């Protein structure tokens, strides 16, 4: 428990963190990686270069300060981050290192404004928060290892099939190299893939949603190739997987993780909304429902730029033909000539509330969505405007957690 004095001091830093939070976390990562370059094997370099990780950490530190007297308020975020940490292989011994350089960065950025009282209070608070992470992650590591078919760390899997799903998305079907059992997973969860790209000094770890149901003799991930756009560089791992990894090659992966999962005990209608590669966890949810809850009413809505970039279209349409309780709706931002000729979509442009209200048969439902951040902000705003309760709205960020 934190002392009242510590809580008061931490609370006093909230305005400062709101202004200087990103500067502090940027400096923190600079200092951390200079002193411990081996940690670059864990962190996503692309998120570092784009500033996403720095912003996400700044938001987390700010939230911790804001709710320091009610840390239970941030427990859902702690668990979400802990899932990512377990999937990446973050260990208890990493936390003192992080704490050391986080305090050093606060002092470095704030200078004399970071008094001894402030540094001592943040040191105490960090210790409490770190202990919470360590405890939760220890339980997650044990659960991942002890479950049927489970394992610790990264387990080698062999690619048994590689399937092009669209112009930019390719699926990889993988099975354990040791021939052992597969751990079950919840629809919506992800795995981490650890690759050592030839010529690269550090390993690269990326997290990809499992895109099929859990009752299969394989795992499937469906990876979008991230090509260079303007000043954004190409995705090293996605391009490497698309261009270099073939059937027979090995991919080390961690056990399934993540808390963005389908509530299979809820019998109410469910609405699955996706944009771009955000459909991968939605397809996992849909494939699971088709087998385990075939009577549950499902509305599947997907937005793509055009038909060439629309993955899993035929598979989803086949399921719809077999399940009268499933309705599907395609929204193409810029349909091509073939899309127009074949009338291959239901709406042109963007998903909006007026259209949603015409295709969702029952407002009282559970809503799950995933896609690019602007897409998710729009969907979240539409659902809230419609009056959907926040507890019925579920979403997942690909990459560092953000805010809608």
């Amino acid at each position: 428990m934190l002392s009242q004095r510590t809580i008061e001091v931490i609370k006093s830093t909230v305005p400062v963190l709101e202004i200087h939070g990103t500067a502090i976390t940027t400096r923190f990562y600079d200092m951390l990686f200079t002193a411990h370059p081996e940690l670059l094997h864990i962190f996503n370099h692309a998120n570092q270069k784009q500033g996403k990780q720095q912003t996400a950490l700044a938001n987390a530190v700010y939230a911790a300060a804001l709710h320091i007297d009610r840390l239970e308020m941030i427990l859902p975020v702690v668990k979400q981050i802990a899932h990512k940490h377990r999937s990446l292989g973050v260990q208890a011994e990493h936390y003192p290192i992080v704490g050391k350089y986080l305090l050093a960065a606060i002092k470095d950025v704030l200078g004399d404004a970071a008094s001894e009282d402030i540094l001592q209070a943040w040191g105490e608070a960090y210790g409490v928060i770190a202990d919470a992470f360590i405890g939760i992650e220890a339980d997650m590591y044990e659960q991942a290892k002890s479950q049927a078919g489970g394992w610790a760390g990264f387990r080698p899997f062999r690619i048994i099939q590689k399937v092009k799903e669209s112009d930019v998305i390719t699926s990889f079907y993988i099975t354990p190299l040791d021939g052992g059992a597969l751990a079950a997973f919840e629809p919506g969860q992800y795995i981490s893939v650890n690759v050592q790209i030839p010529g690269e000094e550090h390993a690269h770890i990326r997290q990809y949603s499992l895109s099929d149901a859990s009752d299969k003799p394989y795992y499937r991930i469906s990876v979008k190739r991230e090509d260079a756009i303007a000043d954004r560089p190409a995705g090293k791992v996605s391009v490497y997987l698309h261009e270099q990894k073939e059937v027979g090659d090995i991919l080390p992966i961690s056990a399934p993780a993540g808390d963005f999962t389908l509530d299979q005990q809820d019998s109410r209608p469910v609405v699955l909304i996706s944009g771009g590669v955000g459909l991968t966890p939605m397809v996992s949810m849909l494939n699971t429902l088709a087998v385990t809850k075939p009577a549950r009413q499902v509305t599947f809505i997907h937005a793509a730029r055009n038909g060439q970039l629309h993955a899993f279209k035929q598979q989803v349409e086949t399921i719809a033909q077999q399940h009268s309780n499933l309705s599907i709706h395609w929204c193409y931002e810029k349909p091509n000539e073939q899309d127009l000729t074949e009338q291959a979509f239901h709406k042109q442009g963007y998903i909006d509330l007026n259209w949603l209200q015409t295709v969702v048969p029952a407002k009282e439902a559970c809503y799950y969505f995933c896609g690019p951040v602007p897409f998710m902000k729009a969907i979240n705003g539409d659902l809230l405007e419609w009056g959907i309760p926040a507890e019925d709205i579920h979403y997942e960020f690909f990459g560092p957690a953000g805010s809608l």
Side-chain angles (χ1 to χ4, degrees), residues 90-132:
V90 172
Q91 301 295 325
E93 56 265 29
H94 293 140
Y95 280 91
I97 299 171
V98 168
K100 174 183 176 180
Y101 290 100
L102 183 59
L103 292 179
I106 291 173
K107 178 63 177 176
D108 192 66
V109 171
L110 299 184
D112 293 340
S115 66
E116 191 59 36
D117 277 354
I118 287 177
L119 293 176
Q120 184 175 343
W122 264 108
E124 183 182 345
Y126 176 81
V128 169
I129 295 169
D131 285 345

Side-chain angles (χ1 to χ4, degrees), residues 299-328:
T299 304
F300 192 97
I301 302 168
H302 180 61
R305 184 174 294 272
N306 56 50
Q308 289 180 292
L309 304 181
H310 186 172
F312 298 112
K313 182 179 182 180
Q314 185 174 345
Q315 293 95 315
V316 173
E317 290 180 342
T318 298
I319 295 174
Q321 292 169 2
Q322 300 168 348
H323 294 81
S324 59
N325 61 307
L326 168 62
S327 63
I328 57 176

Side-chain angles (χ1 to χ4, degrees), residues 45-165:
H45 306 175
N47 289 335
Q48 289 289 325
K49 289 180 180 178
Q50 296 172 30
K52 293 180 179 179
Q53 193 66 57
Q54 293 88 332
T55 300
L57 179 59
N59 290 340
V61 172
Y62 175 79
L66 189 63
H67 300 290
I68 196 68
D69 53 342
R70 296 172 297 146
L71 286 177
E72 68 275 6
M73 293 287 291
I74 64 171
L75 188 58
V77 176
V78 170
K79 288 184 176 179
Q80 182 185 68
I81 296 172
H83 271 285
K84 292 183 180 293
H85 284 179
R86 199 280 295 159
S87 181
L88 293 169
V90 172
Q91 301 295 325
E93 56 265 29
H94 293 140
Y95 280 91
I97 299 171
V98 168
K100 174 183 176 180
Y101 290 100
L102 183 59
L103 292 179
I106 291 173
K107 178 63 177 176
D108 192 66
V109 171
L110 299 184
D112 293 340
S115 66
E116 191 59 36
D117 277 354
I118 287 177
L119 293 176
Q120 184 175 343
W122 264 108
E124 183 182 345
Y126 176 81
V128 169
I129 295 169
D131 285 345
F133 272 104
I134 291 169
I136 291 171
E137 288 163 17
D139 290 341
M140 289 181 175
Y141 277 111
E142 179 58 32
Q143 191 276 332
K145 180 180 178 180
S146 63
Q147 66 178 316
W151 70 92
F154 287 88
R155 181 183 181 187
F157 276 59
R158 188 189 305 277
I159 300 172
I160 60 169
Q161 192 176 7
K162 182 178 178 181
V163 178
K164 185 176 180 179
E165 308 287 2

Side-chain angles (χ1 to χ4, degrees), residues 51-290:
K52 293 180 179 179
Q53 193 66 57
Q54 293 88 332
T55 300
L57 179 59
N59 290 340
V61 172
Y62 175 79
L66 189 63
H67 300 290
I68 196 68
D69 53 342
R70 296 172 297 146
L71 286 177
E72 68 275 6
M73 293 287 291
I74 64 171
L75 188 58
V77 176
V78 170
K79 288 184 176 179
Q80 182 185 68
I81 296 172
H83 271 285
K84 292 183 180 293
H85 284 179
R86 199 280 295 159
S87 181
L88 293 169
V90 172
Q91 301 295 325
E93 56 265 29
H94 293 140
Y95 280 91
I97 299 171
V98 168
K100 174 183 176 180
Y101 290 100
L102 183 59
L103 292 179
I106 291 173
K107 178 63 177 176
D108 192 66
V109 171
L110 299 184
D112 293 340
S115 66
E116 191 59 36
D117 277 354
I118 287 177
L119 293 176
Q120 184 175 343
W122 264 108
E124 183 182 345
Y126 176 81
V128 169
I129 295 169
D131 285 345
F133 272 104
I134 291 169
I136 291 171
E137 288 163 17
D139 290 341
M140 289 181 175
Y141 277 111
E142 179 58 32
Q143 191 276 332
K145 180 180 178 180
S146 63
Q147 66 178 316
W151 70 92
F154 287 88
R155 181 183 181 187
F157 276 59
R158 188 189 305 277
I159 300 172
I160 60 169
Q161 192 176 7
K162 182 178 178 181
V163 178
K164 185 176 180 179
E165 308 287 2
S166 76
D167 280 4
V168 294
I169 296 175
T170 292
S171 287
F172 297 84
Y173 293 72
I174 57 177
T175 56
L177 185 62
D178 59 21
L182 280 173
F185 62 89
E186 293 295 318
Q189 289 193 304
Y190 54 81
I191 57 174
S192 285
V193 177
N194 190 339
V195 299
Q196 184 68 59
I197 300 174
E200 293 281 332
E201 179 180 0
H202 300 104
H204 295 268
I205 302 177
R206 294 293 186 272
Q207 294 167 328
Y208 296 108
S209 296
L210 292 155
S211 61
D212 208 339
S214 183
D215 61 341
K216 305 295 191 297
Y218 55 78
Y219 287 160
R220 184 179 73 184
I221 57 173
S222 303
V223 180
K224 179 188 176 186
R225 177 184 173 126
E226 298 288 354
D227 292 311
I229 299 177
D231 59 348
R232 190 190 75 187
K236 287 186 178 181
V237 175
S238 68
V239 171
Y240 175 68
L241 291 175
H242 274 245
E243 293 188 349
Q244 303 298 325
K245 285 299 183 180
E246 301 295 342
V247 171
D249 289 342
I250 305 303
L251 291 177
I253 72 167
S254 60
D259 61 353
F260 174 66
T261 56
L262 176 69
D263 184 352
Q264 300 189 67
Q265 304 306 313
D266 197 328
S267 61
R268 291 179 300 163
V270 59
V271 181
L272 307 175
I273 309 173
S274 56
V277 76
L279 92 165
T280 51
M282 302 301 151
V283 169
S284 177
M285 293 180 185
L286 176 63
N287 289 354
T288 301
L289 287 166

